[in-house]
Amino acid sequence: MSAQAPSAVILVRAQRFKPNPATAADNAFQADAPEGQSDEQTAGKALAEMDALADALRAVGVRVHVFSDEDHTRPDSVFPNNWLSTHAGGSVAVYPMYASNRRHERRSDVLEMLKSEYRVQTIVDYSGLEPDGIFLEGTGAMVLDHLSRVAYAARSHRADTHVLERFCTDFGYEPMAFDAVDSDGVPVYHTNVIGCVGTEVALFALEMIPDEHRREQVRERLSVNGRKVVEITEEQVRQFAGNAVELCGRTPEGRRRYVMAMSESARRSLRPDQVAAIEESCEIVAVDIPTIELAGGSVRCMIAGVHLDRRPPGVEPELTEAVEAIDENPATADGRDVIEDDVLEDA
């Protein structure tokens, strides 16, 4: 698979979805549900949209891990990319979240699945920074170029540059922070609504970076390895054209295929020349998710990519004597007693 495009993803089927009141203050893309629509109706429509995304990704050969969430106190749990990211080489990052009612979206069962099905060597947990008022909401706050090792980040309440630098040091990225605002001067709350980076193409609303010098630096950095930069407008951003993600799927014959997953709203907003530029290197997979987009996020926000090596299915690992002793004798602390008894019997 491409270092940029994961072949597996994590989705959360949030059964009690609704736009989160706790995030509305700084999320200019968030909207209320239609007047007269009950919370149950909103949640039902959102569930159908979540299932449609999972089906569309499976149809193009992407491996999809779906976790259910019935907790009504986690209306935004459909967006797992804000608390979790995975990285080639076996690393996982867990992030500090801005809204207090989002912090318990972090799930141990997701991490346990990753450890059991993929090769995980280390988990770096930054969530302890929350009491200090320091936040970095994962691949919402950052758009990661895994090829050139750059972390693009629009400064906001949800993207603190100090923890950005810590992340970049820990994971080997170059931090590239900038200010990004809409036409009313409101800061962009998440970098991934204004841009995405694929293997050979990037979509980015460079016009929303007011500092011309910094804008040119971002443009140059995006294209330095020959990647084509498709510039999108603020109006297209409001249709979530920037909130897309490149994935690596498989054809029915088993051949690799690259897809750009986005919402139908995003796809409709693109001009024919922009679509053509994207389709030079990957297929567009568009899913209609208007209910979920009420929460101010779209397809990219719904997807936590798995950039880890998969464990071979059906292959049992070779266990040491100590591990076998633990498995067979749960009462032993580390298997030492069983091993020592075996040694004494042999003697």
Side-chain angles (χ1 to χ4, degrees), residues 218-233:
V218 172
R219 178 185 284 112
E220 180 182 359
R221 201 71 183 87
L222 285 167
S223 59
V224 70
N225 65 351
R227 182 184 289 117
K228 177 172 290 188
V229 179
V230 176
E231 294 196 40
I232 56 176
T233 65

Side-chain angles (χ1 to χ4, degrees), residues 26-40:
D26 71 330
N27 185 343
F29 300 88
Q30 193 167 319
D32 295 328
E35 188 174 351
Q37 181 170 292
S38 69
D39 288 349
E40 290 73 19

Side-chain angles (χ1 to χ4, degrees), residues 91-167:
S91 297
V92 176
V94 176
Y95 296 98
M97 308 279 279
Y98 177 59
S100 59
N101 74 344
R102 296 203 63 194
R103 295 171 189 170
H104 62 304
E105 291 176 19
R106 294 186 289 260
R107 296 174 56 154
S108 59
D109 59 343
V110 173
L111 298 176
E112 289 304 317
M113 181 280 293
L114 290 173
K115 288 189 286 185
S116 66
E117 297 199 23
Y118 299 87
R119 299 192 184 279
V120 174
Q121 295 189 22
T122 184
I123 297 176
V124 182
D125 188 347
Y126 301 102
S127 64
L129 295 170
E130 286 168 349
D132 301 312
I134 300 174
F135 312 107
L136 184 71
E137 293 191 339
T139 54
M142 301 179 291
V143 171
L144 299 179
D145 181 345
H146 299 282
L147 298 173
S148 297
R149 310 300 296 174
V150 180
Y152 298 94
R155 297 182 186 92
S156 73
H157 298 306
R158 311 191 192 198
D160 183 277
T161 54
H162 295 92
V163 66
L164 170 68
E165 290 176 3
R166 281 182 57 177
F167 165 83

